[in-house]
Amino acid sequence: MRLVIARCSVDYAGRLTAHLPSAPRLILVKADGSVSIHADDRAYKPLNWMSPPCTLKEGTDDDAGVWTVINKAGEKLIITMEEVLHDSSHELGVDPGLIKDGVEAHLQELLADRIETLGEGYSLIRREYMTAIGPVDILCRDADGQTVAVEIKRRGEIDGVEQLTRYLELLNRDPHLAPVKGIFAAQEIKPQARVLATDRGIGCAVLDYDAMRGIEDDKLRLF
């Protein structure tokens, strides 16, 4: 990962145009090729970004202070550096991913063992399907043979939907898996998370942990 702190302005040209005036900002260049620009607020959300696959070209000579990031759609993120305050690179290695708490881990195990509760004809591909950005909790197929990625949380909030969205974006680039749809599964799903999931075409499943631990044939409520 490369960390650059610089006074810069940023212009985006694509489906729309956007401009960030000159100010000190943090620029992250990750190993997956993504580039994101951050201010000292807004928690984790960047001001602007370019998702992979994309290419970063640093200017030379007269354009030495200009970075141009271009994605496969031809959209451009142009970063004009006025003053570089810090520039360092760090090798983070392979991330082990988020370690789930006991309830989430057990929910994953139970659902994998009873994958048909997501729907008739569902079959398990594998648990903890590894991707370049972390493991997908469950990868399975529905009755029509379409690949389904399932993200499991104890409490379903917007960040979980965002996490699943990133997995889906990556998985859908694999011609052996695509098209891949998603199911967001949790004991409780917040209304805002449900709205976001629905807007992105992601299904929601409410998990009854106590019932799933029982022997009786209880079903998930899939919405």
Side-chain angles (χ1 to χ4, degrees):
M1 178 182 290
R2 185 178 177 185
L3 308 176
V4 178
I5 299 175
R7 177 174 291 278
C8 62
S9 59
V10 183
D11 292 279
Y12 169 81
R15 290 166 292 180
L16 49 81
T17 58
H19 174 72
L20 293 173
S22 176
R25 297 189 176 93
L26 168 65
I27 304 167
L28 298 182
V29 183
K30 295 187 178 181
D32 64 0
S34 63
V35 178
S36 57
I37 297 98
H38 299 259
D40 198 12
D41 62 4
R42 299 164 61 92
Y44 63 88
K45 189 173 181 180
L47 295 166
N48 214 325
W49 68 93
M50 193 69 81
S51 300
C54 58
T55 57
L56 167 61
K57 180 181 178 181
E58 297 185 43
T60 57
D61 300 328
D62 293 339
D63 295 328
V66 179
W67 287 13
T68 304
V69 188
I70 306 175
N71 67 11
K72 62 181 180 180
E75 299 168 318
K76 293 183 180 181
L77 192 65
I78 301 170
I79 307 169
T80 304
M81 308 283 192
E82 298 171 13
E83 181 184 8
V84 176
L85 305 173
H86 175 85
D87 188 345
S88 64
S89 297
H90 308 270
E91 180 59 53
L92 302 185
V94 178
D95 191 273
L98 180 67
I99 299 176
K100 294 183 174 291
D101 65 25
V103 172
E104 288 183 5
H106 197 200
L107 281 170
Q108 182 190 113
E109 180 181 353
L110 289 169
L111 187 54
D113 287 342
R114 305 173 63 185
I115 197 65
E116 72 283 352
T117 55
L118 287 175
E120 185 177 353
Y122 271 69
S123 59
L124 179 69
I125 297 176
R126 66 167 297 167
R127 290 172 55 194
E128 298 287 334
Y129 185 88
M130 187 56 65
T131 74
I133 57 174
V136 177
D137 288 336
I138 290 178
L139 199 68
C140 57
R141 289 191 178 91
D142 65 13
D144 297 322
Q146 183 175 354
T147 310
V148 183
V150 184
E151 178 63 26
I152 300 172
K153 298 292 184 186
R154 187 163 55 88
R155 183 175 180 177
E157 300 188 17
I158 284 177
D159 59 349
V161 179
E162 295 283 8
Q163 183 180 358
L164 179 54
T165 300
R166 292 192 293 271
Y167 286 143
L168 290 172
E169 182 180 346
L170 192 64
L171 292 169
N172 272 300
R173 296 180 199 156
D174 187 338
H176 299 292
L177 298 176
V180 184
K181 65 181 181 180
I183 293 178
F184 186 50
Q187 287 180 281
E188 174 192 2
I189 299 178
K190 293 295 184 181
Q192 298 92 333
R194 186 182 295 278
V195 169
L196 181 61
T198 301
D199 182 67
R200 295 182 177 180
I202 295 172
C204 293
V206 177
L207 308 179
D208 187 332
Y209 181 53
D210 291 333
M212 290 179 70
R213 287 188 299 172
I215 299 175
E216 67 277 6
D217 187 21
D218 297 301
K219 301 294 183 182
L220 301 182
R221 299 191 301 279
L222 182 60
F223 299 92

